[in-house]
Amino acid sequence: MRVTLHQDKCVASGQCVLAAQEVFDQREEDGVAVLLDDSPPAGAHDDVRHAAAVCPALAITLAES
């Protein structure tokens, strides 16, 4: 899986961090999401899919490999 985070679309809701904290974080100054791992291990894939699904701005795209 390949994860892309479009920070320009992010509305800083933090849903991705709650769903997959090993893959996403937020900047302290404005809350915009930060991608920690663009190729997460298989054990995190379900959490990352959930994060993409609950993102209100649709700022996360996934490429399944």
Side-chain angles (χ1 to χ4, degrees):
M1 170 184 288
R2 189 71 155 174
V3 182
T4 303
L5 172 64
H6 306 279
Q7 287 184 320
D8 58 323
K9 292 182 179 181
C10 181
V11 295
S13 73
Q15 296 302 306
C16 59
V17 179
L18 293 173
Q21 64 185 4
E22 66 280 0
V23 178
F24 300 99
D25 200 355
Q26 287 180 283
R27 295 190 306 222
E28 288 192 30
E29 62 271 12
D30 59 7
V32 170
V34 176
L35 184 61
L36 301 175
D37 187 352
D38 67 354
S39 186
H45 288 188
D46 285 344
D47 290 343
V48 174
R49 286 185 195 101
H50 179 69
V54 299
C55 177
L58 302 175
I60 302 167
T61 54
L62 307 177
E64 301 283 345
S65 44

